[in-house]
Amino acid sequence: MYFINVLLLAGGLILLVKGADLFVISSTSIAKRFGVSEFIIGLTLVSIGTSVPELASSLTASFEQASGIVIGNILGSNIANIGLIVSSAAFLSSIKTEELMLRRDGYIMLFSAFLFLLFALDFRISRIEALTLLLIYCAYLLFLLDKVKKHKEDIYFKDFMNYFLKFEYIFDLKARIETGVKGRIEEKGMKGTTENIEKRYEGIKESYEGTGRRVKTEEETGKEIREEIRGDNKICTAVKTEDKGEINGEVEIICKGSLLMEAIKLIAGGIAIIAGAKYFVEQSIFFALLLNVPETLVGISLVAVGTSIPELMVTISAARSGYASIALGNVIGSNITNILLILGFSGLVHPLTVTEISIFYVTPFMLLISLLLLFFVRTGWRIRRFEGLVLFLLYSGFMVMVFRLG
């Protein structure tokens, strides 16, 4: 009787996950083709690539005013990231950790979790609180892309708090925008200069051919042009070939065809995300009502685990290849993104209602397992198989309790 609903639920999850992958890859490729800076690409696309399924499902649930699904998905994903994904990586390979993981990103992850608890004490997340979370996330990205890269020494959590409270991210963002605009203007100027050189070269060549005089060599012509440009304090060297026009035409056709294909992939990925999130969330709500289970518990279990499956597969593959530490960094970054970015966007769409079970049971457990993870990070700067087992047992016990509550 409910076979169709199960198929829609599974199909929605597959569309959501595959569409997210396709969307991020194609949008990044298109952005690069149009000369968008790596800063903007990193800020908007790459940074949230692994969290697109959670973002899409949470936004869809927020539009449906299903606050329980949103809160459950975010808290459940953070718990699953540690109790399921990190533990799986530790089972396969001992995870090497670093002090920076703990004292910068680890503390920021813990800070965001405590901030959520503080905002949720009145049983709701308002739009102002959601906007605050988004602001902190933007500051965090700018902090990573600017301050961390510019300083040779390690930058820690206290440096981030100083950066945020002193509003340094505003000045960094302004500098980035000004640099980007200036770069585009210079690029256009150089393009115009190159076109003028081409016209000048062709004109000189035609004038010499028309009079029957010896055609100047490229070296001589280039020298003449360079002397002319040097008056404008610009030096540019143009390389000519007889087949240049032909080659440029072929390249342009290839680029247009490739760009069209990327655009089709982008549209297909976007449609898959929207359709997948719609069916996945709708069927999750349907089963919550059918089984008389609170939406929060469905978000913690079904939605959170479902959207974490792709990340789990990637983590297992990375651990088998000896890159388990990358998986740990991805988990910490994902947990920060879930609370600051996804909860922020979802709360802006519609203020979120937080249930008692989320405040008094789920959030404290998320804080507990987060603290335990950071403790394991510091013990010998390595997460061992035994510690992974502890995390997995805690997560299993938590899920059993969730189903019993349901």
Side-chain angles (χ1 to χ4, degrees):
M1 182 177 178
Y2 302 113
F3 181 69
I4 300 297
N5 298 96
V6 173
L7 283 181
L8 287 173
L9 181 73
L13 178 60
I14 292 170
L15 278 175
L16 178 61
V17 172
K18 295 299 182 183
D21 291 340
L22 189 62
F23 184 84
V24 171
I25 293 170
S26 57
S27 57
T28 301
S29 177
I30 290 173
K32 286 181 178 178
R33 286 179 182 276
F34 279 99
V36 178
S37 68
E38 291 183 1
F39 166 71
I40 297 298
I41 294 173
L43 194 67
T44 57
L45 300 174
V46 178
S47 63
I48 64 170
T50 58
S51 296
V52 167
E54 287 91 342
L55 177 62
S57 56
S58 294
L59 284 176
T60 303
S62 187
F63 279 114
E64 296 282 341
Q65 298 186 19
S67 297
I69 296 289
V70 177
I71 300 296
N73 182 24
I74 291 168
L75 300 182
S77 292
N78 280 19
I79 294 169
N81 281 345
I82 297 172
L84 186 61
I85 294 177
V86 173
S87 63
S88 299
F91 285 154
L92 296 170
S93 174
S94 180
I95 304 174
K96 185 180 179 182
T97 62
E98 299 174 359
E99 186 179 5
L100 198 59
M101 285 183 181
L102 173 69
R103 295 185 59 186
R104 188 186 70 201
D105 303 296
Y107 288 165
I108 292 174
M109 177 186 73
L110 203 59
F111 167 73
S112 63
F114 274 110
L115 193 61
F116 166 76
L117 179 61
L118 179 65
F119 285 168
L121 287 176
D122 60 350
F123 299 99
R124 69 191 302 269
I125 301 293
S126 66
R127 284 193 170 95
I128 296 296
E129 291 167 337
L131 187 61
T132 302
L133 294 173
L134 278 176
L135 184 63
I136 295 173
Y137 184 74
C138 291
Y140 172 64
L141 288 182
L142 287 166
F143 176 74
L144 293 179
L145 293 167
D146 280 315
K147 292 299 179 186
V148 173
K149 285 187 176 181
K150 289 177 182 177
H151 288 76
K152 293 181 180 180
E153 68 276 5
D154 289 336
I155 303 293
Y156 299 120
F157 173 69
K158 64 178 182 179
D159 301 300
F160 168 70
M161 293 306 298
N162 288 331
Y163 179 80
F164 178 73
L165 295 175
K166 291 180 180 178
F167 301 100
E168 291 183 34
Y169 52 92
I170 295 176
F171 301 107
D172 282 342
L173 182 60
K174 181 183 176 183
R176 279 281 184 173
I177 293 172
E178 289 175 350
T179 302
V181 171
K182 186 178 179 182
R184 295 293 293 175
I185 292 172
E186 288 178 354
E187 185 180 339
K188 288 181 179 179
M190 288 300 294
K191 185 177 179 181
T193 303
T194 304
E195 289 175 355
N196 289 335
I197 290 172
E198 291 176 359
K199 290 178 182 178
R200 174 68 177 162
Y201 177 83
E202 294 299 332
I204 293 171
K205 185 175 179 180
E206 287 175 5
S207 65
Y208 273 86
E209 287 176 345
T211 57
R213 296 171 62 187
R214 180 181 62 86
V215 179
K216 287 190 176 184
T217 66
E218 292 179 8
E219 185 179 352
E220 292 170 340
T221 307
K223 183 178 179 182
E224 181 179 316
I225 294 170
R226 283 196 297 272
E227 287 174 355
E228 183 175 323
I229 294 175
R230 212 174 270 122
D232 297 327
N233 294 322
K234 293 181 180 178
I235 300 176
C236 189
T237 303
V239 178
K240 295 291 172 190
T241 62
E242 292 180 359
D243 299 327
K244 181 178 178 182
E246 221 174 280
I247 294 170
N248 283 343
E250 291 176 5
V251 171
E252 189 176 349
I253 293 170
I254 293 170
C255 287
K256 284 182 178 178
S258 180
L259 184 61
L260 178 62
M261 183 58 66
E262 293 297 336
I264 293 171
K265 288 179 182 179
L266 179 69
I267 295 170
I271 293 172
I273 290 172
I274 295 170
K278 179 178 182 295
Y279 286 120
F280 185 58
V281 171
E282 282 182 353
Q283 296 310 309
S284 298
I285 296 172
F286 170 79
F287 280 110
L289 295 173
L290 176 68
L291 301 173
N292 196 25
V293 176
E295 289 180 351
T296 302
L297 299 186
V298 173
I300 292 168
S301 54
L302 181 63
V303 179
V305 174
T307 54
S308 296
I309 287 175
E311 202 164 0
L312 177 62
M313 296 298 103
V314 171
T315 299
I316 291 173
S317 176
R320 284 177 175 172
S321 303
Y323 297 104
S325 59
I326 294 176
L328 178 59
N330 187 37
V331 162
I332 293 175
S334 179
N335 282 11
I336 294 171
T337 301
N338 285 344
I339 292 179
L340 298 181
L341 178 70
I342 298 177
L343 185 64
F345 267 131
S346 301
L348 275 182
V349 170
H350 191 275
L352 302 171
T353 302
V354 186
T355 60
E356 289 186 4
I357 189 174
S358 296
I359 296 176
F360 299 124
Y361 177 64
V362 181
T363 304
F365 184 81
M366 179 183 68
L367 289 170
L368 171 66
I369 201 168
S370 299
L371 282 167
L372 191 61
L373 172 66
L374 297 184
F375 174 74
F376 288 159
V377 166
R378 203 183 189 290
T379 54
W381 302 111
R382 190 174 294 275
I383 299 179
R384 299 170 179 82
R385 286 183 174 85
F386 172 74
E387 294 166 333
L389 178 62
V390 172
L391 292 174
F392 180 75
L393 290 176
L394 276 173
Y395 178 73
S396 300
F398 168 77
M399 292 304 294
V400 169
M401 186 61 69
V402 164
F403 285 116
R404 288 174 70 91
L405 289 172

